[in-house]
Amino acid sequence: KMANTITGKISYIGPIQEIPSKNGGNPFVKREVVIDSTRFDPYTGERDKFENFPMFEFSGDRCAELNNFQINDIVTVSFEIQGRKWIDAQGKTKYINSIRGYKIEARQQRSSQPASQQQVVYQQPQQNYVPPMPPNTPIQDELPF
């Protein structure tokens, strides 16, 4: 099976949530993380008008992995999509999806600057520079052949 991955900036890390077990066993624990993976133009840096903030659920022992991260860290999340069928009180079938994160990795080192002071600088590829000729420079019309 091939891993689904997405990279973005962490915008929210939730607290650990405990969901009691129906049979009185150990509670199910989960923790949510949201990343901003909105696309942007690599030349202008402008964000796409369609924002993208997917939420991932980490469960069990994986909840503790999120302690290693903080808001604004750039990460790659490996995930799988799970779906459940549910029949409501009126007998109507509903489907519920969840996005289960199973690995989270840092993509770059944290900056010591606050996020508000960080700037992304885009450089144009340098082209062969030909200095302009000063005005009134005589042009050599004589060709050597």
Side-chain angles (χ1 to χ4, degrees):
K1 116 182 161 177
M2 196 146 165
N4 295 305
T5 62
I6 192 166
T7 299
K9 183 190 300 188
I10 295 176
S11 63
Y12 170 78
I13 300 175
I16 292 178
Q17 301 170 42
E18 289 192 9
I19 294 116
S21 161
K22 289 179 183 168
N23 60 13
N26 288 336
F28 174 76
V29 292
K30 72 175 187 173
R31 193 168 183 193
E32 297 167 344
V33 63
V34 175
I35 66 168
D36 177 357
S37 61
T38 303
R39 294 172 192 241
F40 66 93
D41 184 305
Y43 299 107
T44 66
E46 286 182 36
R47 287 171 59 86
D48 195 281
K49 65 181 178 178
F50 301 106
E51 293 186 330
N52 189 16
F53 286 88
M55 180 179 69
F56 301 89
E57 288 182 359
F58 282 77
S59 60
D61 295 340
R62 295 194 173 100
C63 292
E65 284 184 48
L66 297 178
N67 293 336
N68 300 322
F69 298 95
Q70 63 188 27
I71 305 298
N72 292 326
D73 283 354
I74 307 295
V75 296
T76 295
V77 177
S78 300
F79 65 93
E80 63 185 6
I81 298 173
Q82 294 181 336
R84 294 181 298 286
K85 188 161 86 169
W86 171 62
I87 300 173
D88 69 13
Q90 288 76 38
K92 188 168 183 175
T93 302
K94 308 263 182 162
Y95 296 92
I96 302 167
N97 291 330
S98 59
I99 307 172
R100 302 277 180 171
Y102 58 86
K103 186 161 87 173
I104 183 167
E105 303 171 278
R107 300 309 298 167
Q108 71 180 31
Q109 293 299 315
R110 288 187 190 116
S111 170
S112 57
Q113 286 184 314
S116 62
Q117 293 178 4
Q118 291 179 14
Q119 289 186 330
V120 178
V121 177
Y122 296 96
Q123 291 185 330
Q124 296 269 333
Q126 190 160 2
Q127 299 176 353
N128 291 339
Y129 177 72
V130 178
M133 293 179 70
N136 302 325
T137 302
I139 298 177
Q140 302 288 331
D141 278 338
E142 293 101 45
L143 299 173
F145 51 87

